[in-house]
């Protein structure tokens, strides 16, 4: 049965060595750069500043949800031979695919608003220039990368450098703070609760760090990476999913912890970029704005680089158009999205950090819509035909989807 369905016996597939694994993974690293944008940094800083260590437990469902969403999407894609939205079109029709593609595109577009604001905030902290001017400078650089050759390779390498820089910056700061108070730290991890007025911060945080959008887009990046069915069994897809989720948690976990150590005891709240720099000021003094500016800039640039492409690819997939990163259609639609994002951001009169948070909250529309079809697909017998039903993955996907749906509905109820 296995050989008939897959074309090979999975028991004969050898596990890849560590070096070979590093060559095969990649989509997860790009997705980390997309996820860890200024919105992730801002919401993480807000959680630490507003609630101290109390919301650290969110990283547990984020870890489980992130792994589950990615492995489910990867499995469906490999078994059907189609990326997720193409699979939705095949099994549920053009209307369902278009609906999912448009919803995910809108979620990514909101994310782009936050990234544009974040790049401007970073330039403001580093050079003291108006954040709108700074955003335009970074967008000009970004355009050069969009229209260069070997887009995937450059995006992957550029985002990897940004991720490494962010990890170093925040963990150096964490070391300089003397580390967390371990009693309250572990209490925050083990006591699952929503402090007063924390539900919208929690939803924004979860929708950024554990969104089905990452898994869906990962199936298109896997096609660019030339993944095949053997990568289901040689350890590539599991390693890629783990690499993505762990790097996300390592970065955001450091930001939440620094916010809890530095800002929360002082009763400070994040309403402007300079207050993000305040996390580092007691330890870096006059260099705090520079370090935080570089972190915001790196996060915004890496996320802009990948997220805008992600939104356009998912929209094109839903409308049955070209999804290649090298295609003229994808590139020019990316330009149009960024131009529209600039108009929206520049018309906004509030603080860029306020817009970043609102944009991240709006991205929560992605998982309740696309997640429904991904959950239905993983339970289909014809998708898993010829193979043992992945009960653990099916149950985990269902539970994670219902958790996300429940917290979204509850947040909307509390708001209105």
């Amino acid at each position: 049965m296995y050989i008939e369905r897959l074309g090979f016996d999975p028991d004969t597939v050898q596990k890849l060595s560590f070096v070979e694994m590093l060559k095969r993974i990649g989509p997860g690293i790009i997705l980390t750069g997309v996820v860890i944008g200024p919105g992730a940094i801002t919401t993480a800083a807000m959680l630490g500043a507003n609630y101290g260590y109390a919301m650290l437990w969110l990283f547990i469902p984020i870890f489980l949800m992130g792994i589950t969403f990615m492995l489910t999407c990867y499995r469906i894609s490999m078994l059907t031979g189609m990326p997720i939205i193409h699979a939705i079109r095949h099994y549920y029709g053009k209307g369902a695919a278009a609906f999912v593609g448009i919803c995910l595109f809108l979620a990514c577009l909101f994310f782009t608003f936050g990234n544009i604001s974040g790049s401007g905030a970073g330039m403001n902290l580093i050079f003291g220039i108006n954040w709108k001017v700074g955003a335009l400078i970074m967008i000009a650089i970004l355009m050069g990368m969009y229209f260069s050759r070997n887009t995937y390779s450059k995006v992957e390498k550029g985002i990897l450098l940004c991720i490494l820089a962010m990890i170093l910056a925040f963990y150096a700061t964490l070391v300089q703070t003397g580390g967390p108070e371990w009693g309250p730290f572990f209490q925050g991890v083990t006591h699952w609760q929503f402090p007063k007025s924390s539900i919208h911060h929690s939803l924004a945080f979860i929708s950024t760090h554990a969104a089905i959008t990452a898994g869906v887009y990962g199936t298109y990046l896997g096609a660019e990476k030339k993944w095949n069915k053997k990568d289901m069994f040689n350890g590539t897809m599991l390693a890629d999913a783990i690499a993505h989720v762990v790097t996300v948690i390592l970065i955001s976990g450091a930001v939440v912890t620094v916010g809890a150590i530095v800002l929360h005891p002082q009763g400070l709240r994040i309403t402007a970029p300079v207050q993000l720099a305040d996390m580092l000021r007691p330890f870096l003094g006059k260099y705090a704005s520079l370090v935080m500016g570089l972190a915001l800039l790196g996060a915004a640039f890496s996320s802009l680089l990948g997220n805008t492409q992600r939104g356009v690819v998912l929209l094109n997939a839903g409308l049955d158009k070209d999804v290649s990163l090298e295609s003229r259609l994808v590139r020019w639609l990316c330009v149009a999205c960024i131009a529209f994002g600039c108009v929206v951001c520049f018309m906004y009169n509030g603080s860029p950090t306020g817009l970043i948070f609102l944009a991240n909250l709006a991205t929560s529309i992605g998982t309740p819509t696309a997640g429904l079809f991904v959950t239905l697909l993983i339970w289909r017998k014809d998708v898993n035909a010829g193979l043992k039903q992945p009960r653990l993955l099916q149950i985990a996907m269902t539970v994670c989807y219902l958790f996300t749906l429940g917290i979204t509905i509850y947040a909307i109820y509390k708001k209105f």
Side-chain angles (χ1 to χ4, degrees), residues 36 41 160-177 250-255 258 276-277 279-281 283-284 287-299:
I36 300 296
I41 293 177
L160 179 59
L161 289 175
C162 290
I163 291 169
L164 292 175
M166 280 188 283
I167 290 175
L168 289 174
F170 284 112
Y171 274 89
T173 303
L174 190 57
V175 169
Q176 289 177 349
T177 64
L250 283 175
I251 298 171
S252 276
V255 180
V258 171
L276 289 171
M279 288 197 299
L280 314 183
R281 202 169 303 283
F283 310 97
L284 296 179
Y287 298 107
S289 293
L290 174 63
V291 173
M292 181 54 72
L294 289 171
L296 273 179
L297 196 60

Side-chain angles (χ1 to χ4, degrees), residues 99-100 103-104 212 364-374 401:
F99 173 71
V100 171
C103 287
L104 293 182
I212 196 72
S364 59
I365 66 171
T367 299
T369 52
L372 172 63
F373 290 97
V374 172
Y401 172 68

